[in-house]
Amino acid sequence: MPVNLQSALIVDDHPLFCDALALTLRAVAGLQKIDTADRLEQALERLDQALPDVVVLDLNLPDVQGLEGLIRIRALGVPVIVVSSLTDDRVVGAVLQAGASGFVPKHAKRDAFRAAFDALREGRVYLPEGFVPQAEGTSGNSPRDLALERLGLLTRQQAKILELICAGLLNKQIAHELAIAETTVKAHVTAIMRKLGVQSRTQAVLVANEASFANLMPENR
C-alpha cells in the first residue's frame, strides 16, 4: 500500500549518526519533520504522543535485546525501516520476517536510502543489495519465525513485562518496577503465556530468546 512520507522518527543512540542520517533523509526522501530518540522507551513515549509516517530504527539500542524494538514499534502500526551495521543475511531475513518495511546497511550510500524510501512510498519492501533470502520452503516454519510471529502479538505493556521476566524479575518486583498492582502483572503474565503458546515463564523466556541476535547469527544455528 503506497505511503505518504512527510515525517520520521530516527531511533539511534549515536548523535552524530542521527544528525547525518537526518540530513540524508531530508535530501533524498524529502522529509519535512524529523525527530530523534536514543532509547526504545524514549521512542515509544514519543510514538504515544503522535505517530510519524515512518520510524528509522537501529537494532543495537542500550535498552533493547535482539528484535524487541522492531517488534514493539511495529505493533503500533507504523512502518519501520531498519538501518543497522548487522548485515548478516539471517539478521536481515529476521528483520523482514518481523515486519520491517526495509533494511539499509549503515555503511550504505545515499542512493540506497533513496531507493528504500521510494520503495516504501510505492508500498514495496526494500531489500539491501546482495541479500540472499532463505531457500524457498524453509521460511515461516522455524522456531525463530514462530517466535517472531508470537512476539508480535504482545501489547507494549506485555512486551515490557516479558523483558523483565527475561531479566529474572518476579511478579512482585515487576509490579514495583512498573508501578502497577501485582494482580495486574499476574493477569499480563497469563496473557503473555497464552499468546506465546507456552505453559511456563521459562518457556516464555525461551521464545523471547529465539529473537535474540545470538540465535540469528549463523555460527549459533
Side-chain angles (χ1 to χ4, degrees), residues 8-15 17-19 21-22 25 34-47 52 54-64 69-70 73 76 78-84 106:
L9 174 65
I10 298 174
V11 189
D12 191 291
D13 66 329
H14 294 88
F17 180 78
C18 278
D19 292 345
L21 183 55
L25 296 185
I34 299 178
D35 198 2
T36 63
D38 63 1
R39 299 288 192 278
L40 175 63
E41 285 305 315
Q42 183 184 54
L44 292 172
E45 289 172 3
R46 304 224 173 136
L47 293 171
V54 60
V55 171
V56 182
L57 176 70
D58 183 19
L59 295 177
N60 266 333
L61 296 172
D63 58 343
V64 167
L70 172 59
I73 292 174
L76 300 176
V78 61
V80 178
I81 290 182
V82 169
V83 178
S84 177
K106 273 197 170 182

Side-chain angles (χ1 to χ4, degrees), residues 146-188:
L146 293 174
L148 291 173
E149 180 181 348
R150 290 171 179 173
L151 290 168
L153 299 175
L154 301 181
T155 66
R156 176 182 170 183
Q157 184 81 317
Q158 289 166 356
K160 180 63 178 178
I161 289 173
L162 178 58
E163 176 188 346
L164 295 174
I165 291 173
C166 291
L169 272 65
L170 303 175
N171 286 352
K172 184 176 181 179
Q173 295 170 309
I174 294 172
H176 177 74
E177 178 77 16
L178 300 181
I180 58 178
E182 187 174 353
T183 54
T184 302
V185 174
K186 291 179 180 178
H188 278 306

Side-chain angles (χ1 to χ4, degrees), residues 87-94 96 126-134:
T87 57
D88 182 272
D89 283 346
R90 289 182 183 267
V91 174
V92 178
L96 299 176
Y126 178 77
L127 304 179
E129 183 177 354
F131 169 61
V132 180
Q134 292 181 332

